[in-house]
Every structure is written in C-alpha cells, then in structure tokens.
Amino acid sequence: MSLTDTISSLLKQTLLLMQDTMQCRNDLHFYDNHIRHLTESCLSIFASVYYKEKNNNSHSSIRAIDIGRQFVSLLIQHFRTIKSPAAYADMLHITTDYLNEAVKAATGKSVSHWIRETVVTEAKRQLFHTALNIDEIAWQLGYEDYRYFTRIFKKETGVSPQQFREEYRHTANT
C-alpha cells in the first residue's frame, strides 16, 4: 500500500490532532466525540487508500460495483417473480454476460447464485416463521412446481424444505 504525500500529510495531521486531544481531557464528552471522529477519519483514509490500491482506480471496477448495487436492488424487488439473469440484464439495459461479469467482479458470485441465495433465504424464513406448507411457500416464491423448488432448496442447503423446518423448529423449541 503506497501513500501519496498529500495522504501522508493528511494522516499525520489527523494523528497529531488526536495526540493533542488526548493530552487535554477537560471536557470528557467533547474528548470522547473528538477522539471517535478522529479515529473514524484515520480509518476512512486507510480505507480509501486500500480501495484505490485494490481497484487501481479502475473505472470498470467502479462500474461493476454500481451494476452490482443496481442488480441487488432489482433482485430484492423482483426475486419472487423473476428468476432469469437475462431478465435482470434487460432491466439494466446490458447484456446477460456483462451483468454476470460485473456482479462476479463486485461480489465474487454469479447472478444465478444471488437469485438462488435470495430465494432460499426467504424460503428458510418462511419455513421457520410461518405455518405455510411447502406448496404454498414455493408458489409465493414464484415456483408453480413445488418439486422443482424442493430440488433447488435441497441443492443449496443439503436438506429438503421439510427437513429444514423440522430440524430448525425443533432446535428453536429446545
């Protein structure tokens, strides 16, 4: 990690302010707030240097993060009805390949993974907190065929939805 002269100077000034503040503790409320803010400033400086170093100031990295955020926002709104990466790409006016590339660059996981992960997380929530049967949960999550939903759930979790419900409800009641 390399620090420019400007960032080094800014960091040095912040640390000197912190040192000066620590030497005069007259007003403890002011002292605590001031130290906290100066610490946050130092962490922010380090984080920005790390981020720039990691991404090499690459516009494509920033674009990938932006596309990833947009995808997650759409996913949260539509995961019950839209399961196709191509549909999300269409909503973002980009190709499916570019969406997958950007999401993978931003998160390390594919678009399909995030769709399945979101659906399975919601299924787990409903299995644990509701009395809905598997058919009803599958239907609410956009699957007309509960057997297909069950296969997806089992592939992602290693257990069937019914086994998940029995295991975790039993664990919660003991």
Side-chain angles (χ1 to χ4, degrees):
M1 180 165 53
S2 60
L3 299 176
T4 65
D5 290 340
T6 304
I7 291 175
S8 294
S9 174
L10 182 60
L11 189 57
K12 184 177 179 181
Q13 289 173 343
T14 305
L15 291 170
L16 287 173
L17 277 171
M18 190 180 290
Q19 182 180 16
D20 289 346
T21 302
M22 291 175 86
Q23 290 175 353
C24 54
R25 298 182 184 188
N26 297 345
D27 182 354
L28 287 179
H29 178 69
F30 169 79
Y31 171 80
D32 288 342
N33 283 333
H34 200 64
I35 291 295
R36 181 171 37 85
H37 291 298
L38 290 169
T39 302
E40 289 171 356
S41 295
C42 287
L43 290 173
S44 178
I45 292 167
F46 284 124
S48 70
V49 169
Y50 173 78
Y51 180 78
K52 285 178 185 176
E53 185 83 17
K54 184 176 179 196
N55 293 302
N56 295 324
N57 292 325
S58 168
H59 176 71
S60 62
S61 295
I62 293 169
R63 177 76 174 133
I65 291 168
D66 187 45
I67 289 171
R69 285 184 185 142
Q70 290 175 33
F71 164 69
V72 168
S73 177
L74 289 172
L75 179 62
I76 290 167
Q77 293 173 40
H78 301 286
F79 74 92
R80 295 176 191 275
T81 56
I82 300 174
K83 308 291 188 282
S84 163
Y88 288 102
D90 286 345
M91 286 191 273
L92 293 169
H93 309 289
I94 58 177
T95 67
T96 305
D97 288 342
Y98 187 57
L99 174 62
N100 265 314
E101 181 183 311
V103 169
K104 189 150 186 143
T107 67
K109 306 284 183 178
S110 71
V111 171
S112 295
H113 166 83
W114 289 114
I115 294 169
R116 287 188 312 271
E117 179 78 19
T118 304
V119 168
V120 168
T121 299
E122 176 60 16
K124 287 177 178 179
R125 189 190 69 73
Q126 288 191 29
L127 287 163
F128 189 82
H129 293 290
T130 73
L132 297 173
N133 65 40
I134 307 303
D135 292 352
E136 293 169 321
I137 292 172
W139 186 81
Q140 281 192 359
L141 294 173
Y143 295 95
E144 292 180 20
D145 181 0
Y146 81 92
R147 290 175 297 238
Y148 179 65
F149 164 74
T150 299
R151 282 195 304 272
I152 290 171
F153 188 93
K154 188 169 186 173
K155 184 177 179 184
E156 292 296 309
T157 65
V159 296
S160 71
Q162 190 60 40
Q163 289 169 318
F164 176 87
R165 175 174 270 166
E166 290 168 1
E167 182 179 328
Y168 286 94
R169 280 199 173 165
H170 174 72
T171 303
N173 291 332
T174 57

